[in-house]
Amino acid sequence: MDQLAALRALRRVVELGSFTAAAEALGLSHTAVSRQIKQLEAHLGAQLLNRTTRRFALTDAGKQYYEASRQILDALDDADRAVTAQQARPSGTLRINAPMAFGTLELAAWLSAFMAQYPELTVDLVCNDRIVDLIEDSFDVALRLTRGLPDSTLIARRLADSPLLLAASPAYLKQHGAPRTPAELARHNCLVYTQAQHPRIWTFRSPGGGEESVNVQGNLQANTSVALRAAALAGLGIISAASFIVHEDVQRGALTALLPDYPQRPRELYARYPQSRHQSPKVRAFIDFATAHYRGRGWA
């Protein structure tokens, strides 16, 4: 008896729910699969399956043996994949989800370098500011800017800190004045990013090391920072945004940075991907490239 083949047959029968489906998946006949299970039972001296004409069920001994054998088979598959994956070149289509502003202003700046390194890979980049279900929407990896992650079965790799900048246009400041403390933001028109965890609560670190939170108000809220940046440039109000979104506007004088002595706690950039014992080469390559890109790097 080939015990390993019998273990694989048992697993297929249990997972697929029938001898016929297991036989088809293994490329064997129904009789061959049935014979392997019977030989395994004879070898163990225990019945693993209770059979009827229409269905089967694992016996208590079968349940115990199935769980133990499944772990053994997983370990063997992991060992095979680990060796094979080291030799495999990333290929196929890599589906990436990213926030609109990050995808268009930041990720786009280095994605071409990643693709040049892996020419056999095709990238499908989808940018939006809603939280997607990676598995249901068939994404391989998502990039997230957040403060803390919810409990999830997804794997999360922290890549970098993303500082926030508070800014407004010179025209707005000329008309309304510049806030000198966070508390003064309460009387200003603040542009609110609705995808933040607490959109209207802006929190600052004071020079003394404490924190100060302000409940802000404004006449524009949006689920994309791209729209808020355009509004800030047009003089509508004050924006709190990731520095990669507005730092070039600040450098060229289109926006003025505010409250430099009261920094906001940065968001964190994460790469998230479905949990799997067999991480595909394309996902691993992207995560490794992003990690190397942001290692020790801050944003302006």
Side-chain angles (χ1 to χ4, degrees):
M1 179 191 67
D2 184 341
Q3 188 173 2
L4 181 58
L7 291 179
R8 294 191 187 281
L10 175 65
R11 180 174 187 172
R12 285 296 193 177
V13 168
V14 173
E15 291 180 345
L16 297 178
S18 78
F19 280 75
T20 301
E24 184 177 344
L26 293 168
L28 300 173
S29 68
H30 184 287
T31 301
V33 172
S34 180
R35 182 172 59 249
Q36 286 179 323
I37 302 300
K38 288 179 180 178
Q39 288 175 341
L40 189 59
E41 290 176 325
H43 170 73
L44 295 169
Q47 186 174 353
L48 301 177
L49 299 172
N50 284 322
R51 303 168 181 83
T52 67
T53 56
R54 293 189 175 183
R55 64 183 62 186
F56 70 88
L58 284 166
T59 64
D60 289 341
K63 291 178 182 177
Q64 183 178 0
Y65 192 73
Y66 167 72
E67 288 299 327
S69 63
R70 185 170 61 84
Q71 294 176 24
I72 293 170
L73 292 173
D74 282 346
L76 287 172
D77 288 343
D78 282 346
D80 290 345
R81 294 288 187 95
V83 173
T84 303
Q86 286 181 356
Q87 308 302 321
R89 287 283 295 174
S91 59
T93 299
L94 177 68
R95 280 178 51 80
I96 304 170
N97 180 257
M100 183 65 71
F102 181 86
T104 55
L105 300 177
E106 174 66 19
L107 174 58
W110 56 264
L111 184 60
S112 58
F114 166 73
M115 296 183 68
Q117 189 168 326
Y118 300 101
E120 297 93 347
L121 198 60
T122 298
V123 171
D124 179 8
L125 173 62
V126 177
C127 296
N128 52 40
D129 286 300
R130 66 179 180 88
I131 301 300
V132 300
D133 185 317
L134 268 67
I135 297 174
E136 182 177 336
D137 295 330
S138 300
F139 285 106
D140 296 298
V141 62
L143 296 166
R144 293 282 177 264
L145 285 165
T146 184
R147 293 193 185 101
L149 291 170
D151 291 337
S152 172
T153 59
L154 298 174
I155 302 297
R157 174 77 69 87
R158 185 174 174 275
L159 301 176
D161 284 341
S162 175
L164 297 179
L165 278 179
L166 195 72
S169 71
Y172 176 88
L173 297 175
K174 182 178 180 180
Q175 182 177 356
H176 301 281
R180 292 167 297 178
T181 65
E184 292 184 11
L185 289 171
R187 63 177 180 81
H188 281 271
N189 194 53
C190 296
L191 309 175
V192 175
Y193 177 58
T194 56
Q195 294 297 97
Q197 188 174 8
H198 302 290
R200 295 187 177 274
I201 303 296
W202 292 3
T203 301
F204 301 83
R205 189 166 62 247
S206 65
E211 285 194 344
E212 183 175 347
S213 295
V214 183
N215 192 337
V216 301
Q217 301 296 325
N219 62 2
L220 176 64
Q221 63 179 30
N223 68 348
T224 171
S225 295
V226 175
L228 299 179
R229 170 180 174 263
L233 288 170
L236 185 62
I238 296 176
I239 187 174
S240 171
S243 62
F244 70 84
I245 298 173
V246 296
H247 77 272
E248 289 186 358
D249 300 317
V250 171
Q251 288 178 342
R252 64 188 178 88
L255 292 176
T256 300
L258 304 172
L259 300 180
D261 295 330
Y262 296 86
Q264 298 174 80
R265 184 158 63 94
R267 294 192 181 102
E268 296 168 334
L269 173 63
Y270 287 92
R272 306 198 75 187
Y273 49 97
Q275 186 173 18
S276 172
R277 290 186 178 89
H278 314 305
Q279 188 185 103
S280 67
K282 62 185 179 181
V283 172
R284 187 176 64 254
F286 181 78
I287 299 298
D288 290 347
F289 188 95
T291 300
H293 178 77
Y294 288 109
R295 184 178 292 121
R297 176 182 181 269
W299 281 315

